[in-house]
Amino acid sequence: MKKPVDGFSKLTKEEKIDWLANHYFQDRKDAVSIIKQYWNTNAALQKLHDEFIENTITNYYLPFGIAPNFAINGHLYSIPMCLEESSVVAAASKAAKYWLKRGGFKAEVIATEKIGQVHFMYHGDKEKLVRYFNQIKPLLIEATDSITKNMRKRGGGILDIILKDKTADLDNYYQIHATFDTLDAMGANFINSCLEQFAKTFKAGANTYEEFTEEERDIQIVMSILSNYVPNCLVKAEVSCKVDELNEDQNISPQAFAEKFVRAIDIAKAEPHRAVTHNKGVMNGIDAVVLATGNDFRAIEAGVHAYAAKNGTYSSLTHATIDNGIFKFWIEVPLALGTIGGLTNLHPLVKLALEMLGKPSAKELMQIVAVAGLAQNFAAIRSLITTGIQKGHMKMHLMNILNQLGATDEEKSIVVELFHNKTVTHSEVIKEFNNLRAKSL
Ligand code: MEV
């Protein structure tokens, strides 16, 4: 086994790379050159990125693509998307155009409540704890005054704090459950700072609460942290049109398409294995915009999947109906997003992404992101129930295969043309590429 390293974070960037190259790579020169190849020549920009995290040695590129033509509530957006998976941006763009001709997307924010909890253990009489909580509650709020001052000025802040008895789930376990409105900020730091202050004030107050016995005074704060499960920070996006207007595909009638589409959604509602893949397709759209706009995609993922399982079984995030000849397709997702604070003020590409979206409020961004998820799901289901997914996927994958083979631009365009009306398989691409190379020898 290799020896552990001490004080790695104290090394300079060059020293870190040296250490890594010496310990983990046979061709150390090659490793160093790959690492440095991704450094930005603009030293200030590189320093900015270095300082986002610890122990940075280089940058990791993800494509930043654009899906244009999204009509949302009567505004036309070009949506920035960051992800590595080929065909996602193409699918989003296709879905955007499809719905542009059919009235566009409608979206509305249902609620914007964020949640945080102080988890604590209390051994004693519950009634006394309730009385103590009611007495200390105004003090808990007051103690956070300096933290919440600016947020309150802008119209947000703490909405409420309640005591929750969780002893049915775990012996002696209680919570201070707090709700917040953090306006255009995602609000993680704000919420966590408030919670830690609640915990301090709550614990200190218990020490002198006259009704408590010695044991009851000994409240044990376990942790204070926001929850990424935000079922009341919810946005809805939808599309609808007459069934007759639905499909341009000659191989399936609009009515049959609509019925098959609804069936596909019903399957994802009924069957968790399918629901996970179905929702993964939704997240292709959601995550890509969340990343491009500098938001925390892990928080969004965790919250969205918890919401998908809110009724006890993991199920579809999207819904579809046919009613009186009208096809309706919609999504409801919890999205705790921010358009100020965090990376949004720091990362030049995030700033650019937000400017491109018209400097949206957090609520507007929630709508845009939900639409991206719905569009992605529409594109996936449309392909799955008609041509199958591989046709589009492999077309996009063709470029990856050609890049792996080291094809020139000219060779790429010849091979792409060859596969215009032909199924793309890895072996067929290699065969055609080799034929082409052989001919030019
Ligand atoms: C692939 O990234 C996403 C899909 O599998 C989604 C789906 O099956 O609905 C195509």
Side-chain angles (χ1 to χ4, degrees):
M1 201 171 90
K2 292 188 171 68
K3 273 209 321 229
V5 56
D6 278 328
F8 185 74
S9 66
K10 308 267 178 335
L11 302 179
T12 64
K13 191 160 139 185
E14 289 278 1
E15 287 167 343
K16 283 178 188 133
I17 293 170
D18 257 359
W19 180 86
L20 195 74
N22 288 333
H23 283 80
Y24 290 95
F25 295 94
Q26 281 187 343
D27 187 341
R28 82 171 287 292
K29 259 176 118 181
D30 190 44
V32 172
S33 122
I34 291 172
I35 289 168
K36 292 192 174 176
Q37 187 180 323
Y38 285 90
W39 283 6
N40 200 291
T41 48
N42 176 336
L45 189 64
Q46 186 54 59
K47 188 164 183 296
L48 179 77
H49 285 265
D50 285 353
E51 290 175 359
F52 285 154
I53 62 165
E54 306 76 33
N55 296 343
T56 308
I57 54 165
T58 191
N59 308 306
Y60 182 96
Y61 289 174
L62 267 187
F64 182 114
I66 300 296
N69 298 319
F70 269 96
I72 307 175
N73 295 342
H75 299 281
L76 200 60
Y77 293 90
S78 288
I79 299 190
M81 301 179 87
C82 288
L83 84 166
E84 84 303 340
E85 185 175 334
S86 57
S87 86
V88 168
V89 176
S93 308
K94 222 169 145 187
K97 259 222 160 129
Y98 184 97
W99 284 105
L100 184 66
K101 294 184 210 148
R102 293 165 175 83
F105 293 83
K106 290 184 194 68
E108 62 170 318
V109 170
I110 297 166
T112 57
E113 180 191 275
K114 314 263 170 71
I115 293 170
Q117 299 159 320
V118 178
H119 305 269
F120 68 94
M121 311 310 273
Y122 166 78
H123 299 80
D125 180 348
K126 183 188 160 187
E127 294 311 313
K128 283 195 214 169
L129 182 67
V130 172
R131 282 196 291 279
Y132 169 61
F133 177 77
N134 289 336
Q135 190 195 70
I136 194 110
K137 185 172 165 174
L139 274 181
L140 296 181
I141 307 235
E142 204 181 301
T144 59
D145 270 358
S146 61
I147 305 169
T148 60
K149 194 170 157 217
N150 285 338
M151 192 65 88
R152 276 184 287 123
K153 257 197 232 153
R154 303 203 304 269
I158 300 162
L159 298 175
D160 198 9
I161 41 177
I162 57 170
L163 176 72
K164 278 198 174 176
D165 178 353
K166 305 295 284 182
T167 52
D169 300 324
L170 185 66
D171 285 349
N172 309 310
Y173 169 36
Y174 292 84
Q175 279 175 7
I176 299 173
H177 179 99
T179 45
F180 302 85
D181 184 352
T182 60
L183 306 172
D184 286 333
M186 194 265 184
N189 283 331
F190 170 78
I191 294 173
N192 290 334
S193 299
C194 288
L195 295 171
E196 288 188 3
Q197 186 57 55
F198 292 159
K200 255 190 220 157
T201 310
F202 191 70
K203 168 98 182 131
N207 278 333
T208 55
Y209 187 62
E210 64 283 357
E211 271 202 72
F212 279 161
T213 62
E214 228 17 67
E215 196 193 14
E216 286 164 341
R217 282 192 178 140
D218 188 23
I219 282 176
Q220 289 139 32
I221 304 287
V222 180
M223 57 194 158
S224 310
I225 187 74
L226 91 171
S227 171
N228 290 123
Y229 182 42
V230 280
N232 291 327
C233 188
L234 202 62
V235 55
K236 179 179 178 185
E238 72 169 69
V239 283
S240 64
C241 69
K242 288 189 186 137
V243 169
D244 293 350
E245 294 165 4
L246 259 183
N247 219 358
E248 291 153 345
D249 189 334
Q250 302 305 313
N251 297 321
I252 184 166
S253 74
Q255 183 65 32
F257 173 80
E259 284 171 11
K260 206 171 173 191
F261 196 102
V262 171
R263 210 165 302 134
I265 304 292
D266 286 346
I267 289 171
K269 285 189 179 186
E271 212 282 315
H273 281 88
R274 174 57 201 148
V276 171
T277 317
H278 179 92
N279 290 346
K280 187 274 183 191
V282 172
M283 298 316 285
N284 277 344
I286 290 186
D287 280 342
V289 190
V290 168
L291 254 177
T293 55
N295 276 279
D296 180 344
F297 65 93
R298 287 86 55 208
I300 296 297
E301 280 277 345
V304 168
H305 294 300
Y307 189 76
K310 68 180 186 309
N311 295 328
T313 309
Y314 191 89
S315 183
S316 169
L317 292 161
T318 57
H319 314 270
T321 52
I322 306 168
D323 232 343
N324 284 329
I326 303 289
F327 170 82
K328 194 169 130 185
F329 177 49
W330 74 100
I331 186 169
E332 247 180 46
V333 262
L335 293 173
L337 296 171
T339 54
I340 59 167
L343 266 200
T344 59
N345 302 336
L346 284 176
H347 198 305
L349 277 174
V350 169
K351 278 196 208 164
L352 185 105
L354 289 170
E355 188 169 345
M356 180 190 314
L357 292 173
K359 300 195 175 154
S361 64
K363 281 185 179 173
E364 282 160 348
L365 187 60
M366 285 168 78
Q367 296 174 357
I368 294 165
V369 172
V371 163
L374 185 71
Q376 209 63 50
N377 188 229
F378 179 79
I381 303 300
R382 188 176 181 221
S383 297
L384 285 168
I385 65 171
T386 55
T387 56
I389 207 77
Q390 281 311 85
K391 193 170 168 224
H393 266 196
M394 291 310 284
K395 278 250 145 53
M396 299 304 293
H397 191 51
L398 176 58
M399 209 43 87
N400 288 345
I401 303 172
L402 288 169
N403 280 332
Q404 273 165 22
L405 292 169
T408 63
D409 285 348
E410 199 191 337
E411 286 168 339
K412 281 181 199 167
S413 62
I414 296 172
V415 179
V416 167
E417 190 50 41
L418 273 172
F419 279 92
H420 186 63
N421 277 323
K422 197 168 139 179
T423 309
V424 177
T425 67
H426 202 264
S427 57
E428 276 298 304
V429 177
I430 293 177
K431 198 172 105 197
E432 292 295 357
F433 176 75
N434 287 339
N435 285 344
L436 189 68
R437 280 267 161 111
K439 267 191 228 156
S440 60
L441 282 178

